[in-house]
Amino acid sequence: MQLLVKTGLGHFIKYGFCALLALLLAATTRAELSDGQPLDNRVIQVRSENWYGYSEAGEGYLFLLLRAAFEPLGYQLQFKFCPWKRCVQDVMESRADIIVSVYDDESFMGQYMQVNRYPVFIERIAVAFKAQRWPQWQGQQTMSGGTLGMLRGYDLHKQLAVPVKLQEVSSDTQLWKLLVADRVDFIIEGIMPLQVYSERFTQHPGQFRIEHVYQKESYLGFGRSERAKTLLQQFDTQLRKLYQQGEVQALQKQFGLDWLSPIELQ
């Protein structure tokens, strides 16, 4: 991501959130596994950054999706917000079970982490820039040689087909301040946070322009422990059921994600 996808949201705000997620405390004992049955330790540790619409303040599409999948199995979910690198480290070192959200080609995949079988959403990656500086958008070619602002650790520039000069910062606010001050030419992130922050920083209509540059399938990241493997298998089974019942589609629509490509769960 970073999904999200690393996660973002623009028009999701008008839909609102449908529930508050409780932060649940529990013991940290490890559990023995039993053929896909709920684990003895029923508290699932989830790590995430605070992403608009996806996981903001313990709410959003991804957290509600996790609750819908795991709570019927008797689990409780404890959510903790951390910087992205800390989220990854916690899952890699088995301090947490799940991270939201990741791409299946992340550098830490394979040896340290695994993803669920089906993508949980399609992340639309976009760039924002001052409209008057580039009135004629010609796709990624317009960005060639320009300075690109990006959140630290997201590596979204690696999917671009043109060379750019990179400047990384730690927060969305810093990112947009760079753009406003003309210290970067473009900023790149999921389309949703770009839409939200463009509204906050716009001083006059048409000041900023947002253009889609590519899209990626986003997944949940699970650790490599046997416990995490069982949780992954259970999530895939539950996600298929939720999709067949129309609940995934309903959540996507509620949060303004109805533009997503359908997930074909057979």
Side-chain angles (χ1 to χ4, degrees):
M1 61 167 264
Q2 284 157 27
L3 20 210
L4 2 254
V5 262
K6 290 205 319 352
T7 210
L9 271 191
H11 55 286
F12 89 94
I13 293 177
K14 65 183 179 182
Y15 294 95
F17 295 120
C18 73
L20 293 176
L21 298 179
L23 295 177
L24 304 165
L25 301 176
T28 59
T29 55
R30 289 293 171 183
E32 295 297 325
L33 307 180
S34 177
D35 294 331
Q37 296 299 313
L39 302 169
D40 292 338
N41 179 1
R42 299 296 181 87
V43 178
I44 299 174
Q45 297 286 342
V46 182
R47 296 293 184 267
S48 177
E49 285 206 49
N50 195 10
W51 290 322
Y52 282 98
Y54 298 128
S55 58
E56 183 185 11
E59 301 175 341
Y61 168 72
L62 290 173
F63 282 173
L64 292 179
L65 185 63
L66 279 167
R67 288 186 59 186
F70 283 115
E71 287 185 350
L73 299 180
Y75 290 107
Q76 297 175 331
L77 293 100
Q78 182 172 344
F79 304 100
K80 183 176 181 180
F81 293 101
C82 307
W84 175 249
K85 289 185 178 180
R86 174 66 182 276
C87 293
V88 172
Q89 199 71 22
D90 279 0
V91 175
M92 288 171 56
E93 298 178 0
S94 298
R95 290 190 295 269
D97 301 302
I98 300 172
I99 180 175
V100 296
S101 64
V102 296
Y103 304 139
D104 61 359
D105 59 357
E106 303 276 13
S107 60
F108 47 78
M109 287 302 161
Q111 182 178 359
Y112 299 106
M113 208 177 296
Q114 54 194 333
V115 297
N116 56 295
R117 179 177 180 184
Y118 309 106
V120 290
F121 69 98
I122 309 299
E123 176 96 70
R124 292 178 67 189
I125 305 301
V127 293
F129 54 93
K130 288 186 175 179
Q132 63 179 8
R133 294 188 63 182
W134 285 274
Q136 300 298 322
W137 171 255
Q138 297 179 343
Q140 292 189 28
Q141 191 58 41
T142 306
M143 304 168 58
S144 183
T147 301
L148 180 68
M150 186 181 72
L151 292 177
R152 186 168 287 109
Y154 278 31
D155 292 341
L156 299 175
H157 65 296
K158 292 183 178 180
Q159 302 292 329
L160 297 174
V162 295
V164 294
K165 292 173 286 186
L166 191 64
Q167 186 164 342
E168 295 180 280
V169 295
S170 300
S171 71
D172 285 289
T173 298
Q174 290 177 297
L175 202 59
W176 278 88
K177 286 182 177 180
L178 290 177
L179 184 61
V180 170
D182 293 324
R183 293 176 57 189
V184 297
D185 300 310
F186 307 90
I187 59 177
I188 187 169
E189 201 178 352
I191 195 169
M192 296 179 184
L194 290 181
Q195 290 171 335
V196 170
Y197 275 92
S198 68
E199 295 174 3
R200 295 185 182 183
F201 280 85
T202 294
Q203 297 176 330
H204 57 79
Q207 180 179 4
F208 300 111
R209 184 169 172 177
I210 297 173
E211 292 289 344
H212 171 254
V213 288
Y214 66 86
Q215 64 186 39
K216 294 272 287 183
E217 293 181 345
S218 184
Y219 300 81
L220 303 180
F222 294 75
R224 280 289 175 184
S225 68
E226 288 301 310
R227 169 184 169 83
K229 181 179 179 180
T230 294
L231 291 173
L232 183 154
Q233 292 170 344
Q234 292 173 342
F235 179 78
D236 277 340
T237 298
Q238 291 296 96
L239 184 62
R240 186 187 303 111
K241 292 179 181 178
L242 291 171
Y243 185 84
Q244 291 170 347
Q245 295 166 359
E247 295 188 38
V248 175
Q249 299 91 317
L251 274 177
Q252 289 178 351
K253 186 173 183 179
Q254 177 187 345
F255 286 93
L257 300 173
D258 48 329
W259 45 262
L260 295 179
S261 301
I263 307 171
E264 298 299 334
L265 305 184
Q266 303 298 327

